[in-house]
Amino acid sequence: MVDIRYDLAFTLYPYEKVAAQDHPPARHPVVVIGGGPVGMALAVDLGQRGTPVLLLDDHEGVGQGSRAICFSKRTLEICDRLGFGQAVHDKGVIWNVGRVFHGETPVFNFDLQPEDGDKFPAFVNLQQPYFEKFATKAARTAQNQGAPIEIRGRNRVTQIDQHDTYAVLTVETPDGSYQIEADWVIACDGARSPSRKMLGLEFKGRVFEDNFLIADVKMTADFPSERWFWFEPPFEGAGQSALLHKQPDDIWRIDFQLGWDIDRDAELDPANIRRRVDAMLSSQTGTVPAYDLEWISIYTFQCRRMEKFVHNRVIFAGDAAHQVSPFGARGANSGLQDIDNLAWKLELVVKGLAGDALIESYDMERSHGADENILNSSRATDFMTPKSAISKVFRNAVLTLAQKHDFARPLVNSGRLSVPCIYDDLPLNGPDMMTGPARTRVGASCPDAPFGDGFLLENIGGKFTLLVLNTQAPQDLCEAGIEIETLITHTPSAELRTRYLGQHDAAVYLIRPDQHIVARWPTFDETALRAALRTAIAKDRV
Amino acid sequence: MSLILHPNIKNTDGFYDTLLGAHDGLSKSESDAFNARLILILANHIGDREILTQALLAAKL
Ligand SMILES: Cc1cc2nc3c(=O)[nH]c(=O)nc-3n(C[C@H](O)[C@H](O)[C@H](O)COP(=O)(O)OP(=O)(O)OC[C@H]3O[C@@H](n4cnc5c(N)ncnc54)[C@H](O)[C@@H]3O)c2cc1C
C-alpha cells in the first residue's frame, strides 16, 4: 500500500503499472527519489544532458498548500537553462518595495530595483505548486524531444541497500512492491527524508522553539505589491514578527510568529486568525478590505544539515540534505543550486569521463552553501526573536536608530535574501590570473549581462564554455574527452565590460556547465586552460 | 570631519553576531558594565570631542 500523505494541487504523474514490476531488478544509471522542486529539476537537467534518469515519487503530483513563495534570480537563471524560467517569471509577481515596521512605527523602506542588464529580477513570488508544475512540464517537453526521463508516480521507496558500486531500492506501489538497482541514487525526498532514516543517518542542528502561523488570503481589493514586515507587530496576539507578501492570483501570504507555547487548535480557529489579519490589513489605511482565507497552517522551523551529503552511492539534495528557517527564502532556492551543481557532475561520471572525486566535490561545494544558508537564516531568526534581554536591547536600539540613520539599516535583519553561493577557495577552482571585478572571481556564478540580441547566461549554460572578450581563442577545444564551447565577442556590452573586464582590455573565462567560473586570464593560454579544465573535473585527484 | 552615519562596517551581520556573542552568559549588571567599558574604549579611540558630541546627539531620541 502507498498511503496518501497530502492532497494534490495538480495531478501530474498518475500511477501506471510498468513491466519492470514483474521482472527481476533492472539497473538504472541514476534514480531520483522525490519529485519536489529539487528532484524534478534534477530529472530535467539530467535528461536534457542525455543521462538516463528514473524519478520515483510517492504521490501522483504536486502537493497542495502554501510553502515556498519567493524564488531568487539565481533560481530563475537555473530554471531558464532547464526551459521553465520564463514560465516561472511570467506567472510570478515581481516586487521591489519592502517596508519595515517596529510596532506601529515605520522604520524604513527599501527598493530592490532590478539590476540593469539582467534578464531576471532579484525575486519573483510564486506559489510552490505552480513552480513544480512548470518543472514537470519541462520534464514532459524534454521527454517529447527524446530526453531519457521516466517518472513513476505513487512509487514509494521503502528500503535502500547499499553495495559497493550500486544500490538496490525496494519500491512500494498500489500493485505491490518491486526492486530497482541504481548506480547512483539521488535522495530528494524532503526535510523528513525517509531515505536518510533508511540509511540511519543523522540530521543535526538547531530547532527554533517557535511556531509560525501561515495564512494565505485572497483579496481583490487594490492593495500594494509590497513586502511588509513587522518586528513586534501591534496586532493582538500576533507574536514576535509578522509578514505580508503578495503572490499571483490575488493571494497575499501572511505570517505570524507565534512563539513556542501555543494552543494550536485555538490559533487555527478562523475567527482568531481573522482578528489579527483584519488588524494587519487595516493598519496603514484604517479600513479592512474584503478577503477570503485560502489556506492556513502552522509550521515550526529548524536549521540543520547532514554532516555529509554523499554516502557511497546515495547522494542527498535539497531539504533532505539541509533545512533552514524560511527567512531569506533559502530552502528551495538552495536546493536548486544543489542540483545545478550535481547534474553535470553526474553526467560526466556516468559517461566515465570523471571519477568519484567529482561527486565528492558536490559535497564540499554544497556543504559550503548549506553552512552559509544556515548561518544567514539563523542570524535572521535571532534578530527577530532575541535570545536574551541584552540582545533585545541592541535589537531595539538598531530599529530605533534605523528610523533616523542610514548606518543602522544594514543591521536590521528581517531575512537576508538568498544570493548565489560563491565557491571561494574550493578544490575545483583554477587560477585567477587577473585582478578583475570581485563578483566574477573564480568560484562565483556568472552574473548576467546583455549579449548580442539576448543575454550572456542564455549562451553559456549546460557545457564547459570559454568566454573570450576582446581577444582570440580557438574553437573546438577538447580536453579529457570534454568539449569546450568557445564564445567570442569583440563588442561587449557596457554591463559585460563592467562585470567581466573591469580595468582590463581583454579577458578569457573558463566557465562550468553550472555557470560557475573556473578560471580567468587576461589572454588565452592553452596549457593553462587544459590544466584548469582537468582541475574543474577533479581529473587528477584521488 | 563629521560623524559617520552611513554604513561603514564590512560584514555587518558578522559584527553584530560577535557583539552579541560578547554578552553571552553575562548577567544584566555585567552586560551594562561591559557596554559602559566598550563605549569608553570606542570614545577614546575616536578622541575628537566634536565627533563625540555629535555622536551623543545622534543617540538621543
Ligand atoms: C512555510 C514555508 C515557506 C517557505 N518559503 C520558501 C521560499 O519563499 N523560498 C524558498 O526557496 N523556499 C521556501 N521554503 C522551503 C521550500 O518549501 C523547500 O525548501 C522545498 O520544498 C524543498 O524541496 P525538495 O524537493 O527538497 O523537497 P520537497 O518539496 O519536500 O519534496 C519531496 C518529495 O519527495 C517525495 N517523497 C517523500 N518520501 C518519498 C519516498 N519514500 N519515496 C518517493 N518519494 C518520496 C514527496 O512526496 C515530495 O514530492 C518554505 C517552506 C515552508 C514550509
Side-chain angles (χ1 to χ4, degrees), chain A residues 462-481:
Chain A
K463 293 181 172 168
F464 274 96
T465 305
L466 200 61
L467 174 66
V468 182
L469 305 176
N470 291 339
T471 179
Q472 291 298 340
Q475 299 285 343
D476 304 324
L477 286 158
C478 182
E479 173 63 28

Side-chain angles (χ1 to χ4, degrees), chain A residues 40 86 115 118 161 215 220 329 339 346 361 455 470:
Chain A
M40 192 56 75
Q86 200 64 44
E115 214 179 354
D118 277 26
D161 295 297
T220 43
I339 66 97
L346 272 174
S361 76
F455 291 90
N470 291 339

